[in-house]
Amino acid sequence: MLLFFQELGMQIFLWCLQLVDAVTEMFTTFTGVTKVSVNGSEMTLLDAAMSNSTVSTVFWSIVVLAVGLCCVITIVAIIRNMFTGDKKLSGIVGKFIVAILATLAVLILIVLVILITDDILVLLADVFGMSTSDKLSTTLFDACVGKWCNGFSAADFDVSTTTVRDLLGDYKSILGVWPTSWKLSGMIDPDEFYYLPALIACVSVTVFMVIAVVQLSKRIFEIVFCYFTMPAALSVLPLDDGARFKNWRDTFMARILMVFGTTISVNVFAILLPTLVSVKIPGFGGFGNAVFMIVLIIAGAMVIPTGQRLFERIFVSREEAYFDGSIIAGRGARYITSYGRHMYRSLAVPVKWSWRQAKPLFDPEERAKNQSRNEGAYRENPGPGSGGTGEDKKTGKGDKK
């Protein structure tokens, strides 16, 4: 029975490692390091989205509408200035011309920023050795292997081709039916493999990598959205002196710079992972070191969202970094805590005050005190319209007869 669970755990672990490699490949695709094939030509995923014919048609349609809107806004600004006289006519017409020319200039700037971003990301991948280093699946598997057998090593492991039988080998059995022990004919010693730590570490890395990939995939749609709204933000330049365009600029640059924080954080984790899994505490025991390895791997995987937040705080305003809505455990925990505290207050406070209000109904002395208190307050200040001479609490004036 134990051998069966070992085979099952190893198979689940291999599936998780395949998922890690798939998510890592998607990550390099979303960052622009790996090219995608579109109609026979290779380009980055963002270039493919921006060069789509439908996207170009919609964009130029929005440009035409924005130019018309800019003309209407300019006319409104001129008419309003005829009554207020706070601006010069040449200044309003100059802003109209600037808005038209800035639309074309910003369009060229967007294309240049995207091209420069792609080249920098490829350069970062070469600097960190992302294409030449070992896969995350190989590093994680090697960290959980207690003992390699029969001359095999981590260099012989490939999660896409290696099977459970290749890893664990054959087993001894009674009468060819009931398995008793392993023959140690595979690549590793099955009894020395850390099954539970392997699953925990692999799931942790997968979760944080999926978070990074989802954020990068959302970034592409946000950049296209900013691409569409750019003419509209510039069309109101004669009316708001560029305030809307400033908001658009900050949002667009936040979406562009976001990819650098995610890329650097993932590469830092990939660089530190071999060192983390090789750290051992002398005299701590095999299982204790395995638990220690899990803690280090989880802490290293948490660098992915944390590094992105640090990059956003340095280069992006706090409002834009918060608007990004990163899906991280820390922020989710804060939301859950604040929601629970709000629920406690909403339940505890009304109960407390409702009992204070209901207490006179059950206590005759408290009811008599409240009644005398109300009568005394009425005699001191009967209020307006009651025939008395009291003053109105809101106006401070007495009744006039």
Side-chain angles (χ1 to χ4, degrees), residues 201-230:
C202 188
V203 170
S204 302
V205 173
T206 304
V207 169
F208 287 109
M209 288 295 297
V210 168
I211 291 174
V213 168
V214 170
Q215 291 173 348
L216 290 177
S217 62
K218 186 182 67 172
R219 164 186 170 269
I220 293 178
F221 295 96
E222 290 173 345
I223 289 177
V224 175
F225 180 81
C226 292
Y227 179 68
F228 284 156
T229 56
M230 182 267 295

Side-chain angles (χ1 to χ4, degrees), residues 19-251:
L19 180 60
V20 169
D21 281 350
V23 174
T24 305
E25 188 65 25
M26 286 190 293
F27 174 80
T28 58
T29 302
F30 283 119
T31 54
V33 177
T34 302
K35 308 294 183 180
V36 295
S37 178
V38 181
N39 297 326
S41 58
E42 292 187 355
M43 62 182 69
T44 64
L45 189 59
L46 183 58
D47 292 339
M50 299 292 287
S51 61
N52 184 275
S53 59
T54 305
V55 172
S56 301
T57 303
V58 173
F59 173 77
W60 288 112
S61 300
I62 295 176
V63 168
V64 173
L65 294 176
V67 170
L69 179 62
C70 187
C71 295
V72 173
I73 290 176
T74 303
I75 295 173
V76 171
I78 293 174
I79 295 175
R80 187 184 67 175
N81 188 65
M82 293 172 59
F83 295 96
T84 59
D86 55 348
K87 296 181 180 180
K88 294 183 179 180
L89 180 62
S90 59
I92 298 176
V93 177
K95 290 180 181 179
F96 169 76
I97 298 175
V98 169
I100 301 300
L101 297 178
T103 302
L104 300 177
V106 173
L107 174 61
I108 298 175
L109 182 62
I110 289 175
V111 176
L112 291 177
V113 167
I114 292 175
L115 293 176
I116 293 173
T117 302
D118 293 340
D119 293 338
I120 294 177
L121 290 173
V122 174
L123 179 61
L124 284 176
D126 294 337
V127 169
F128 285 100
M130 193 171 181
S131 58
T132 58
S133 59
D134 294 334
K135 296 181 178 180
L136 286 178
S137 59
T138 303
T139 306
L140 288 173
F141 185 84
D142 186 32
C144 300
V145 174
K147 179 181 178 182
W148 291 95
C149 298
N150 302 317
F152 290 99
S153 63
D156 302 319
F157 174 77
D158 188 358
V159 69
S160 60
T161 58
T162 306
T163 63
V164 176
R165 185 60 59 197
D166 297 334
L167 294 172
L168 303 182
D170 296 327
Y171 50 81
K172 302 176 183 178
S173 60
I174 300 176
L175 300 178
V177 177
W178 186 260
T180 57
S181 61
W182 297 101
K183 294 182 178 180
L184 300 181
S185 59
M187 300 174 62
I188 64 173
D189 186 352
D191 297 327
E192 297 292 334
F193 190 82
Y194 305 119
Y195 295 94
L196 182 60
L199 292 175
I200 296 176
C202 188
V203 170
S204 302
V205 173
T206 304
V207 169
F208 287 109
M209 288 295 297
V210 168
I211 291 174
V213 168
V214 170
Q215 291 173 348
L216 290 177
S217 62
K218 186 182 67 172
R219 164 186 170 269
I220 293 178
F221 295 96
E222 290 173 345
I223 289 177
V224 175
F225 180 81
C226 292
Y227 179 68
F228 284 156
T229 56
M230 182 267 295
L234 284 170
S235 64
V236 295
L237 183 64
L239 196 62
D240 63 353
D241 295 332
R244 298 295 180 273
F245 177 71
K246 180 178 180 299
N247 295 335
W248 177 89
R249 180 198 63 194
D250 294 340
T251 304

